[in-house]
Amino acid sequence: MKIGGYLCTGCGIGDRLDTKSLESVAVREGRIGFCKTHDFLCSQAGVDMIKADMALEGDDQVTKAVIMACSRRAKTESFNFGAVPVSRVNLREGVIWIRPEGSEHDETTQEMAADYIRMGCAEVKAMHQADASGEQSKNNHIMVVGGGITGMTAALEASKAGYYASIIEKSDRLGGVMGQLKQRQPEHSPFQNPQDTGVAALIAAVEADDKITVYLSSTIAKTAGAPGRFEVDIASTVGAGTHAEFGAIVQATGFTPYDANNLPEFSYGKSPNVVTQLELEALARAAGDGPIKRADGKVVENVVFVQCAGQRSTKEGHLSYCSGHCCATSIKQAMYFKDSNPDIETTVLFDDIRTPGAGGENFYRSAQDKFVTFRKGKVSTVDVKGNELQVNFKDLILDEDAHMGADLVVLATGMLPNSGTDIDTMKDKDASGEVKVSVESILNLNYRQGPDMPQLVNGFTDSHFICFPYETRRTGIYSAGPVRRPMDAAQAQTDAMGAVMKAIQAIENSAIGRAAHPRSGDLSFPSFRKEGCTQCKRCTVECPFGAIDEDAKGYPQYNEARCRRCGTCMGACPVQVISFKNYSIETVGAQLKAVDVPDEFQEKPRILVLACENDAYPALDMAAMKRNESSAFIRVIPVRCLGSTNTIWIKDALGSGYDGVVMMGCKKGADYQCHFVKGSEMAHVRMAKIGDTLSTMNLEADRVAVHEVAITDIDRAPKLLDEMVAVINRVGLSPFKF
Amino acid sequence: MTTAVNQAMVEKYKGNFLKEVTDNVEEGNWVKMCMQCGVCSGSCPLGPHWDHPPQELFMMIRANKREEVLSSTSMWMCTSCYNCVARCPRGLPITHIMHGLAHYGKRMGMKPKNQPTEKFGQMFWDNLIKKGRVNELKLGLGLYFKDGFAEGVKVSMGKQKLGLNMMKAKRMSPMEMLGGHGVKDLSGFHAMLKKAEELEAARVGANTDAK
């Protein structure tokens, strides 16, 4: 049982630092078993040397290791020793690459390296090997909620990958909105003509697949459990309910069309000849191969499409966002007319034509080629004049009021997601004492945090748009299709594939007790010291993922398969009883205490930097790669998420003589970038209260700074550290140096 | 002739000026492909001097503003710098469409009155077909006197020095006044022009035939 230290002298570390002295720092001050130096530690020879030590028997066996070389983000494969806890000391990116050369800098640079080595040795002692919790279970069955094309595609993809799927469909048939369409926009080059929706083929494939079960006229009465072991009660409006178990869930509940009755200015409801896009599909289907007729039987000869009807508008009751598919849908529908008779006047009145996707532009060109007229204009009203309609609009190019007659007006209204209960507004209503749920719950989650997934802007299910698009804040539950964001059929099908892959990933990871992401492969999970817990419920409330319930006695109950290992609970705990095996109050606390704080006469401040390992730490690493210079007085400790930052660390640091603390997390708020959704935000909330602590210690408030740093802030991140150095220069060194 | 064709055109295309442009204007089939981004108008160095920049002209065509488009002075302002063509994201031959529209407006008898470019164009053409070669002296003088005798004298006096220098350098001969030199086979040239006119009349006539 030994802690082995391995110091690399490659990449210039040996040239810039006094490695002999660092070795003795590691052994004497870090108090580890030994420290070996290698001039190329990540080479086969270097790694073999470490492995040989780990393979020894008895007291000589190395059971924990400190690698003193490059950033923990470099050479992760080489320095992965499986079951052996390893601490990485960042001498390359963290020290020599950010420090200028020259003898006048040698002393502070050497001190920096020595501190990081002390920190690494202290950390590894507090680390323990993480094991799975033992609560693992695996279930190869995926529940797909919604039987539209998104749901059916998801189920078929799951089946192709060898998993089972059950489709829960509320109505009595499969197909969803796409099933009501005549044709869809083209999916393949040359993207010129509308094509078959393919819904019939999808339904046939689903029905023929023996790995897929379909529950029609069914809803979900209750969902309990965690990834790998979801317990679901399925209610049926026609028969008896069922109880089933699933490994993961894909929610593909689609959208409801925006209610055109909110648009009386366009004479919707006043005239049967003003229809929505979906209503036009019904007319087109009724027409079959013949000409499209109005409700009164007249063959349509002059049709006007009104884009952005009640969308992209700030008016009360309108949708503020673009629904993404309507331009292409109107183009497609204009072609229904043009293809049947090129003499039919088809005019699209648009504000901006938006045709996303590979084929969108070609489809638009194809419509222009077919003489569909596009006029940039904003429609104000539609008047009913006997059997005719008059569309009044402002021509935005000619800058004049204009009007045109039409037999039929088609409104491009938007989409509203079927996301279920908005748990955030529920909370608000709770306070006033009345709970008014406008949308029925879809998943009926048996979670403390509410019956459905949290929603982001405009009611669409929450997801990390950039890094984990299908992920919701409920691990193992993935959303796909227009419930996630407005989209067209092709995107919804791509989405379905992505979401089902994530569902499979969740099933496989939960089976072995690993985090799915962002810390994929992490076996650690939070546990708490029961005798210290005050049952304050802060961890249950702050967990962004609803991973923590309360047991009958009010203690936190971890559902480790729902956990993403961010440590927000650990940061939240006021009595610091929550910890992970390899990441705890102690691992970070020991590191910051291991730093040698010089007395005030040496005039060398110490600044603690807690940097999010997802964005801020990589940004600092990349700044180092660019050789962006940084102060020698900073000591950086990476944290899983700024949300895992416990205020005790800040208090400890300031109490032990640090002059300043800089915290770097991801962007928070509605357009958050935090990989753990709320972690960064929670940290900001907690740190807003740190001012009280500072004032009781008689310290200046600006000694603690919290910043939002993106991975791209390569030049800004070091500047933020320089700013803190300037603050310390201004307010003076901390009075707490001993 | 023009009036007859014009009336037939109006009758044939009725409310569909875009179709009329597509069928009859050189490169006019491209007008429908405009996506109203406005890059052409923004790129045009003469843009501020036009009544209607290209983007607007194309929109007017779609909005059936036949009179306004064909009698517009805008397309006559095009100097063929090709900036718009180089920049159009849809690759429309905008310069060519402008010349096509100008020509079509003239053919329809709707050209703007007293448009200098149009006047000069006609002068150049008349001058050219007479001998098969451009008589630069006559063309120049014609241009000086296009706005009346008094104006012509004024311009001529102003350009006196330039004229003398050109004569000295043998770049201009006063003898050209007496008729000037022509192509070898003048009658052949005229026959060729006549044939071309016939072909063009037949083409336009074909488009003008009632459906």
Side-chain angles (χ1 to χ4, degrees), chain A residues 338 343 345 350 361-362 364-376 395 397-400, chain B residues 15-16 18-19 22 29 32-36 52 55-57 59-60 62-63 65 68 89-90 211:
Chain A
K338 278 286 180 195
D343 286 336
E345 288 291 325
F350 68 94
E361 172 74 2
N362 284 19
Y364 174 26
R365 284 180 204 231
S366 168
Q368 287 184 307
D369 206 38
K370 291 177 182 180
F371 277 100
V372 175
T373 309
F374 291 87
R375 270 186 92 170
K376 190 172 166 79
D395 190 307
I397 301 294
L398 304 180
D399 193 26
E400 63 182 22
Chain B
N16 202 338
L18 175 61
K19 192 83 175 64
T22 305
N29 56 316
K32 64 185 177 185
M33 299 309 291
C34 167
M35 61 179 187
Q36 296 295 334
H52 312 288
Q55 177 196 17
E56 219 168 284
L57 273 183
M59 193 73 250
M60 286 158 73
R62 294 181 194 182
K65 294 178 182 276
E68 276 181 79
R90 279 287 176 90
K211 274 193 276 185

Short mmCIF file of all heavy atoms in Angstrom, two decimals, chain A residues 338 343 345 350 361-362 364-376 395 397-400, chain B residues 15-16 18-19 22 29 32-36 52 55-57 59-60 62-63 65 68 89-90 211:
data_model
loop_
_atom_site.label_atom_id
_atom_site.label_comp_id
_atom_site.label_asym_id
_atom_site.label_seq_id
_atom_site.Cartn_x
_atom_site.Cartn_y
_atom_site.Cartn_z
N LYS A 338 -49.88 24.10 -58.15
CA LYS A 338 -49.15 24.33 -59.40
C LYS A 338 -48.98 23.04 -60.20
O LYS A 338 -49.01 23.05 -61.42
CB LYS A 338 -47.78 24.94 -59.10
CG LYS A 338 -47.83 26.44 -58.87
CD LYS A 338 -48.04 27.18 -60.19
CE LYS A 338 -48.09 28.68 -59.96
NZ LYS A 338 -48.62 29.40 -61.12
N ASP A 343 -51.72 27.13 -64.15
CA ASP A 343 -52.36 28.43 -64.27
C ASP A 343 -52.98 28.92 -62.97
O ASP A 343 -53.45 30.05 -62.89
CB ASP A 343 -53.43 28.41 -65.38
CG ASP A 343 -52.78 28.39 -66.75
OD1 ASP A 343 -51.63 28.85 -66.85
OD2 ASP A 343 -53.41 27.89 -67.70
N GLU A 345 -53.16 30.67 -59.70
CA GLU A 345 -52.32 31.71 -59.10
C GLU A 345 -51.98 31.31 -57.68
O GLU A 345 -52.88 31.15 -56.84
CB GLU A 345 -53.08 33.04 -59.08
CG GLU A 345 -53.24 33.68 -60.45
CD GLU A 345 -51.91 34.17 -61.00
OE1 GLU A 345 -51.08 34.63 -60.19
OE2 GLU A 345 -51.71 34.09 -62.21
N PHE A 350 -44.68 36.52 -47.58
CA PHE A 350 -43.75 36.13 -46.52
C PHE A 350 -43.07 37.35 -45.92
O PHE A 350 -43.05 38.43 -46.52
CB PHE A 350 -42.69 35.18 -47.08
CG PHE A 350 -41.75 35.84 -48.07
CD1 PHE A 350 -40.53 36.35 -47.65
CD2 PHE A 350 -42.08 35.94 -49.41
CE1 PHE A 350 -39.66 36.96 -48.56
CE2 PHE A 350 -41.22 36.54 -50.32
CZ PHE A 350 -40.02 37.05 -49.90
N GLU A 361 -33.39 24.99 -49.53
CA GLU A 361 -33.14 26.02 -50.54
C GLU A 361 -33.52 25.51 -51.94
O GLU A 361 -34.13 26.22 -52.72
CB GLU A 361 -31.65 26.41 -50.48
CG GLU A 361 -31.17 27.32 -51.57
CD GLU A 361 -31.63 28.76 -51.42
OE1 GLU A 361 -32.31 29.07 -50.42
OE2 GLU A 361 -31.32 29.57 -52.31
N ASN A 362 -33.18 24.26 -52.21
CA ASN A 362 -33.53 23.71 -53.52
C ASN A 362 -35.03 23.62 -53.72
O ASN A 362 -35.54 23.84 -54.82
CB ASN A 362 -32.92 22.31 -53.68
CG ASN A 362 -31.45 22.38 -53.95
OD1 ASN A 362 -30.83 23.39 -53.69
ND2 ASN A 362 -30.88 21.30 -54.48
N TYR A 364 -37.25 25.54 -52.36
CA TYR A 364 -37.69 26.93 -52.56
C TYR A 364 -37.48 27.32 -54.03
O TYR A 364 -38.36 27.83 -54.71
CB TYR A 364 -36.91 27.81 -51.59
CG TYR A 364 -37.07 29.32 -51.70
CD1 TYR A 364 -38.22 29.89 -52.22
CD2 TYR A 364 -36.07 30.16 -51.24
CE1 TYR A 364 -38.36 31.27 -52.30
CE2 TYR A 364 -36.20 31.54 -51.30
CZ TYR A 364 -37.34 32.09 -51.84
OH TYR A 364 -37.47 33.45 -51.92
N ARG A 365 -36.29 27.04 -54.55
CA ARG A 365 -35.99 27.35 -55.96
C ARG A 365 -36.94 26.60 -56.88
O ARG A 365 -37.40 27.16 -57.89
CB ARG A 365 -34.57 26.90 -56.31
CG ARG A 365 -33.51 27.81 -55.78
CD ARG A 365 -32.16 27.25 -56.20
NE ARG A 365 -31.14 27.72 -55.31
CZ ARG A 365 -30.01 28.30 -55.73
NH1 ARG A 365 -29.78 28.43 -57.00
NH2 ARG A 365 -29.13 28.71 -54.87
N SER A 366 -37.21 25.36 -56.53
CA SER A 366 -38.08 24.56 -57.38
C SER A 366 -39.47 25.21 -57.45
O SER A 366 -40.09 25.25 -58.52
CB SER A 366 -38.16 23.15 -56.81
OG SER A 366 -39.17 22.43 -57.43
N ALA A 367 -39.94 25.74 -56.32
CA ALA A 367 -41.26 26.40 -56.31
C ALA A 367 -41.22 27.67 -57.15
O ALA A 367 -42.16 27.96 -57.90
CB ALA A 367 -41.66 26.73 -54.88
N GLN A 368 -40.13 28.42 -57.06
CA GLN A 368 -40.01 29.63 -57.88
C GLN A 368 -40.02 29.25 -59.35
O GLN A 368 -40.65 29.91 -60.17
CB GLN A 368 -38.72 30.36 -57.55
CG GLN A 368 -38.77 31.06 -56.20
CD GLN A 368 -37.52 31.86 -55.94
OE1 GLN A 368 -36.41 31.33 -56.04
NE2 GLN A 368 -37.66 33.13 -55.61
N ASP A 369 -39.34 28.16 -59.65
CA ASP A 369 -39.27 27.70 -61.02
C ASP A 369 -40.66 27.33 -61.54
O ASP A 369 -40.94 27.46 -62.73
CB ASP A 369 -38.34 26.49 -61.07
CG ASP A 369 -37.72 26.33 -62.44
OD1 ASP A 369 -37.39 27.37 -63.04
OD2 ASP A 369 -37.58 25.18 -62.91
N LYS A 370 -41.52 26.87 -60.63
CA LYS A 370 -42.88 26.51 -61.02
C LYS A 370 -43.81 27.72 -61.00
O LYS A 370 -45.03 27.56 -60.99
CB LYS A 370 -43.41 25.43 -60.08
CG LYS A 370 -42.73 24.09 -60.24
CD LYS A 370 -43.23 23.07 -59.23
CE LYS A 370 -42.47 21.75 -59.41
NZ LYS A 370 -42.91 20.72 -58.46
N PHE A 371 -43.25 28.88 -60.92
CA PHE A 371 -44.02 30.13 -60.95
C PHE A 371 -44.88 30.36 -59.71
O PHE A 371 -45.91 31.03 -59.79
CB PHE A 371 -44.88 30.24 -62.22
CG PHE A 371 -44.11 30.75 -63.40
CD1 PHE A 371 -43.62 29.87 -64.35
CD2 PHE A 371 -43.86 32.11 -63.54
CE1 PHE A 371 -42.89 30.34 -65.43
CE2 PHE A 371 -43.13 32.58 -64.62
CZ PHE A 371 -42.65 31.69 -65.57
N VAL A 372 -44.49 29.80 -58.60
CA VAL A 372 -45.13 30.21 -57.35
C VAL A 372 -44.59 31.61 -57.08
O VAL A 372 -43.39 31.84 -57.13
CB VAL A 372 -44.75 29.27 -56.18
CG1 VAL A 372 -45.33 29.78 -54.87
CG2 VAL A 372 -45.23 27.85 -56.47
N THR A 373 -45.50 32.55 -56.84
CA THR A 373 -45.05 33.93 -56.65
C THR A 373 -44.76 34.19 -55.17
O THR A 373 -45.60 33.89 -54.33
CB THR A 373 -46.12 34.91 -57.14
OG1 THR A 373 -46.49 34.53 -58.47
CG2 THR A 373 -45.60 36.33 -57.15
N PHE A 374 -43.60 34.69 -54.91
CA PHE A 374 -43.25 35.04 -53.54
C PHE A 374 -43.22 36.55 -53.42
O PHE A 374 -42.50 37.22 -54.16
CB PHE A 374 -41.88 34.45 -53.18
CG PHE A 374 -41.90 32.95 -53.06
CD1 PHE A 374 -41.69 32.16 -54.19
CD2 PHE A 374 -42.12 32.33 -51.86
CE1 PHE A 374 -41.72 30.78 -54.10
CE2 PHE A 374 -42.15 30.95 -51.76
CZ PHE A 374 -41.95 30.17 -52.88
N ARG A 375 -44.02 37.07 -52.51
CA ARG A 375 -44.00 38.52 -52.31
C ARG A 375 -43.70 38.80 -50.86
O ARG A 375 -44.31 38.25 -49.96
CB ARG A 375 -45.35 39.15 -52.66
CG ARG A 375 -45.43 39.57 -54.11
CD ARG A 375 -46.71 40.32 -54.40
NE ARG A 375 -46.55 41.76 -54.26
CZ ARG A 375 -47.48 42.64 -54.65
NH1 ARG A 375 -48.62 42.22 -55.16
NH2 ARG A 375 -47.28 43.93 -54.51
N LYS A 376 -42.71 39.65 -50.65
CA LYS A 376 -42.34 39.98 -49.28
C LYS A 376 -43.33 41.02 -48.78
O LYS A 376 -43.31 42.17 -49.22
CB LYS A 376 -40.91 40.52 -49.23
CG LYS A 376 -40.36 40.66 -47.82
CD LYS A 376 -38.88 41.01 -47.90
CE LYS A 376 -38.32 41.49 -46.58
NZ LYS A 376 -38.03 40.44 -45.63
N ASP A 395 -46.60 45.73 -48.84
CA ASP A 395 -45.48 45.20 -49.61
C ASP A 395 -44.21 45.80 -49.05
O ASP A 395 -44.01 47.01 -49.07
CB ASP A 395 -45.63 45.55 -51.09
CG ASP A 395 -44.61 44.81 -51.95
OD1 ASP A 395 -43.41 44.90 -51.62
OD2 ASP A 395 -45.01 44.15 -52.91
N ILE A 397 -41.11 45.39 -49.98
CA ILE A 397 -40.06 45.79 -50.92
C ILE A 397 -40.44 47.11 -51.59
O ILE A 397 -39.65 48.04 -51.68
CB ILE A 397 -39.84 44.72 -52.00
CG1 ILE A 397 -39.45 43.39 -51.38
CG2 ILE A 397 -38.79 45.16 -53.02
CD1 ILE A 397 -38.12 43.36 -50.69
N LEU A 398 -41.69 47.17 -52.05
CA LEU A 398 -42.14 48.39 -52.73
C LEU A 398 -42.61 49.43 -51.72
O LEU A 398 -42.94 50.55 -52.10
CB LEU A 398 -43.26 48.05 -53.72
CG LEU A 398 -42.88 46.98 -54.75
CD1 LEU A 398 -44.04 46.72 -55.69
CD2 LEU A 398 -41.66 47.42 -55.55
N ASP A 399 -42.65 49.03 -50.46
CA ASP A 399 -43.04 49.93 -49.39
C ASP A 399 -44.38 50.62 -49.69
O ASP A 399 -44.47 51.84 -49.73
CB ASP A 399 -41.93 50.97 -49.16
CG ASP A 399 -42.14 51.73 -47.86
OD1 ASP A 399 -42.79 51.16 -46.96
OD2 ASP A 399 -41.67 52.87 -47.75
N GLU A 400 -45.38 49.80 -49.91
CA GLU A 400 -46.70 50.38 -50.19
C GLU A 400 -47.77 49.42 -49.70
O GLU A 400 -47.55 48.22 -49.56
CB GLU A 400 -46.86 50.60 -51.70
CG GLU A 400 -46.81 49.30 -52.49
CD GLU A 400 -46.93 49.51 -54.00
OE1 GLU A 400 -46.64 50.62 -54.46
OE2 GLU A 400 -47.30 48.54 -54.68
N GLY B 15 -53.24 39.52 -66.53
CA GLY B 15 -52.70 39.88 -65.22
C GLY B 15 -51.34 39.29 -64.91
O GLY B 15 -50.89 39.36 -63.78
N ASN B 16 -50.72 38.63 -65.89
CA ASN B 16 -49.50 37.93 -65.54
C ASN B 16 -48.27 38.53 -66.22
O ASN B 16 -47.73 38.00 -67.18
CB ASN B 16 -49.64 36.45 -65.88
CG ASN B 16 -48.66 35.62 -65.09
OD1 ASN B 16 -47.65 36.13 -64.61
ND2 ASN B 16 -48.96 34.34 -64.95
N LEU B 18 -45.33 38.76 -65.02
CA LEU B 18 -44.14 37.93 -64.80
C LEU B 18 -43.98 36.94 -65.95
O LEU B 18 -42.89 36.74 -66.47
CB LEU B 18 -44.26 37.18 -63.46
CG LEU B 18 -43.14 36.19 -63.15
CD1 LEU B 18 -41.79 36.89 -63.06
CD2 LEU B 18 -43.42 35.44 -61.85
N LYS B 19 -45.10 36.37 -66.37
CA LYS B 19 -45.06 35.42 -67.48
C LYS B 19 -44.66 36.14 -68.77
O LYS B 19 -43.88 35.61 -69.57
CB LYS B 19 -46.45 34.77 -67.62
CG LYS B 19 -46.49 33.57 -68.53
CD LYS B 19 -46.06 32.31 -67.76
CE LYS B 19 -46.21 31.04 -68.61
NZ LYS B 19 -45.38 30.97 -69.79
N THR B 22 -41.05 36.69 -68.64
CA THR B 22 -40.37 35.40 -68.83
C THR B 22 -40.31 35.03 -70.30
O THR B 22 -39.29 34.59 -70.81
CB THR B 22 -41.11 34.30 -68.05
OG1 THR B 22 -41.22 34.72 -66.70
CG2 THR B 22 -40.39 32.98 -68.12
N ASN B 29 -36.60 34.95 -68.00
CA ASN B 29 -37.03 33.76 -67.28
C ASN B 29 -36.38 33.65 -65.90
O ASN B 29 -36.79 32.87 -65.06
CB ASN B 29 -36.71 32.51 -68.11
CG ASN B 29 -35.25 32.43 -68.48
OD1 ASN B 29 -34.66 33.44 -68.88
ND2 ASN B 29 -34.64 31.28 -68.31
N LYS B 32 -38.25 35.24 -61.98
CA LYS B 32 -39.00 34.50 -60.96
C LYS B 32 -38.08 33.92 -59.88
O LYS B 32 -38.53 33.59 -58.79
CB LYS B 32 -39.79 33.37 -61.62
CG LYS B 32 -38.91 32.33 -62.28
CD LYS B 32 -39.70 31.29 -63.03
CE LYS B 32 -38.74 30.31 -63.72
NZ LYS B 32 -39.43 29.34 -64.55
N MET B 33 -36.81 33.75 -60.19
CA MET B 33 -35.90 33.13 -59.23
C MET B 33 -35.36 34.11 -58.18
O MET B 33 -34.67 33.71 -57.25
CB MET B 33 -34.72 32.47 -59.95
CG MET B 33 -35.09 31.36 -60.91
SD MET B 33 -36.17 30.09 -60.20
CE MET B 33 -35.07 29.29 -59.04
N CYS B 34 -35.66 35.38 -58.34
CA CYS B 34 -35.17 36.36 -57.37
C CYS B 34 -35.74 36.06 -56.00
O CYS B 34 -36.92 35.75 -55.86
CB CYS B 34 -35.57 37.77 -57.79
SG CYS B 34 -35.32 38.99 -56.49
N MET B 35 -34.89 36.09 -54.98
CA MET B 35 -35.41 35.82 -53.63
C MET B 35 -35.43 37.07 -52.77
O MET B 35 -35.52 36.99 -51.55
CB MET B 35 -34.62 34.70 -52.97
CG MET B 35 -33.15 34.99 -52.76
SD MET B 35 -32.39 33.59 -51.94
CE MET B 35 -30.77 34.25 -51.62
N GLN B 36 -35.34 38.22 -53.39
CA GLN B 36 -35.56 39.49 -52.70
C GLN B 36 -34.59 39.73 -51.56
O GLN B 36 -34.96 40.25 -50.52
CB GLN B 36 -37.00 39.56 -52.18
CG GLN B 36 -38.04 39.57 -53.27
CD GLN B 36 -37.96 40.80 -54.14
OE1 GLN B 36 -37.49 41.84 -53.71
NE2 GLN B 36 -38.36 40.69 -55.39
N HIS B 52 -35.98 52.77 -59.30
CA HIS B 52 -36.22 51.45 -58.73
C HIS B 52 -34.98 50.59 -58.91
O HIS B 52 -34.62 50.26 -60.04
CB HIS B 52 -37.38 50.74 -59.45
CG HIS B 52 -38.60 51.60 -59.62
ND1 HIS B 52 -39.40 51.94 -58.57
CD2 HIS B 52 -39.12 52.20 -60.72
CE1 HIS B 52 -40.38 52.71 -59.01
NE2 HIS B 52 -40.23 52.88 -60.31
N GLN B 55 -33.85 44.84 -57.35
CA GLN B 55 -34.71 44.07 -56.45
C GLN B 55 -36.15 44.56 -56.56
O GLN B 55 -37.09 43.78 -56.64
CB GLN B 55 -34.21 44.23 -55.02
CG GLN B 55 -35.08 43.54 -54.00
CD GLN B 55 -34.81 44.02 -52.59
OE1 GLN B 55 -34.22 45.08 -52.38
NE2 GLN B 55 -35.23 43.23 -51.62
N GLU B 56 -36.30 45.91 -56.59
CA GLU B 56 -37.63 46.49 -56.62
C GLU B 56 -38.29 46.25 -57.97
O GLU B 56 -39.48 45.93 -58.05
CB GLU B 56 -37.49 47.99 -56.35
CG GLU B 56 -38.59 48.54 -55.47
CD GLU B 56 -38.25 49.94 -55.00
OE1 GLU B 56 -37.40 50.04 -54.10
OE2 GLU B 56 -38.79 50.91 -55.55
N LEU B 57 -37.50 46.37 -59.04
CA LEU B 57 -38.04 46.11 -60.38
C LEU B 57 -38.60 44.69 -60.46
O LEU B 57 -39.68 44.47 -61.01
CB LEU B 57 -36.95 46.27 -61.44
CG LEU B 57 -36.72 47.68 -61.99
CD1 LEU B 57 -35.63 47.61 -63.08
CD2 LEU B 57 -37.99 48.25 -62.61
N MET B 59 -39.63 42.84 -58.00
CA MET B 59 -40.86 42.75 -57.19
C MET B 59 -42.03 43.37 -57.95
O MET B 59 -43.15 42.86 -57.93
CB MET B 59 -40.65 43.47 -55.86
CG MET B 59 -41.71 43.19 -54.82
SD MET B 59 -41.58 41.53 -54.14
CE MET B 59 -43.02 40.77 -54.83
N MET B 60 -41.77 44.50 -58.65
CA MET B 60 -42.83 45.17 -59.41
C MET B 60 -43.33 44.27 -60.53
O MET B 60 -44.53 44.27 -60.86
CB MET B 60 -42.31 46.50 -59.98
CG MET B 60 -42.17 47.58 -58.92
SD MET B 60 -41.02 48.87 -59.42
CE MET B 60 -41.97 49.72 -60.66
N ARG B 62 -43.45 41.01 -60.44
CA ARG B 62 -44.32 40.02 -59.81
C ARG B 62 -45.63 40.64 -59.36
O ARG B 62 -46.65 39.96 -59.27
CB ARG B 62 -43.63 39.42 -58.60
CG ARG B 62 -42.41 38.61 -58.98
CD ARG B 62 -41.82 38.06 -57.72
NE ARG B 62 -40.49 37.54 -57.95
CZ ARG B 62 -39.77 36.96 -56.98
NH1 ARG B 62 -40.26 36.87 -55.78
NH2 ARG B 62 -38.59 36.51 -57.25
N ALA B 63 -45.59 41.94 -59.05
CA ALA B 63 -46.81 42.62 -58.60
C ALA B 63 -47.60 43.17 -59.77
O ALA B 63 -48.50 43.99 -59.59
CB ALA B 63 -46.45 43.72 -57.62
N LYS B 65 -46.93 45.29 -62.18
CA LYS B 65 -46.88 46.72 -62.46
C LYS B 65 -46.26 46.92 -63.83
O LYS B 65 -45.15 47.44 -63.97
CB LYS B 65 -46.08 47.44 -61.37
CG LYS B 65 -46.79 47.37 -60.02
CD LYS B 65 -45.98 48.05 -58.94
CE LYS B 65 -46.65 47.95 -57.59
NZ LYS B 65 -47.66 48.98 -57.37
N GLU B 68 -45.48 50.70 -65.04
CA GLU B 68 -44.40 51.30 -64.27
C GLU B 68 -43.05 50.70 -64.61
O GLU B 68 -42.06 51.40 -64.69
CB GLU B 68 -44.66 51.10 -62.77
CG GLU B 68 -45.58 52.14 -62.17
CD GLU B 68 -45.76 51.90 -60.70
OE1 GLU B 68 -44.85 52.26 -59.93
OE2 GLU B 68 -46.80 51.33 -60.32
N PRO B 89 -26.66 35.94 -54.93
CA PRO B 89 -26.50 34.58 -54.41
C PRO B 89 -27.25 33.54 -55.23
O PRO B 89 -26.94 32.36 -55.18
CB PRO B 89 -27.06 34.67 -52.99
CG PRO B 89 -27.92 35.88 -52.97
CD PRO B 89 -27.39 36.81 -54.02
N ARG B 90 -28.23 33.98 -55.99
CA ARG B 90 -28.97 33.04 -56.82
C ARG B 90 -28.41 32.99 -58.24
O ARG B 90 -28.94 32.31 -59.10
CB ARG B 90 -30.44 33.46 -56.87
CG ARG B 90 -31.25 33.01 -55.67
CD ARG B 90 -31.50 31.54 -55.73
NE ARG B 90 -32.18 31.03 -54.58
CZ ARG B 90 -33.51 30.94 -54.46
NH1 ARG B 90 -34.27 31.37 -55.42
NH2 ARG B 90 -34.04 30.44 -53.39
N LYS B 211 -53.70 32.32 -77.41
CA LYS B 211 -53.61 30.92 -76.99
C LYS B 211 -54.69 30.07 -77.65
O LYS B 211 -55.82 30.48 -77.71
CB LYS B 211 -53.80 30.83 -75.48
CG LYS B 211 -52.53 31.05 -74.74
CD LYS B 211 -52.69 30.64 -73.27
CE LYS B 211 -53.30 31.75 -72.48
NZ LYS B 211 -53.39 31.49 -71.06
#
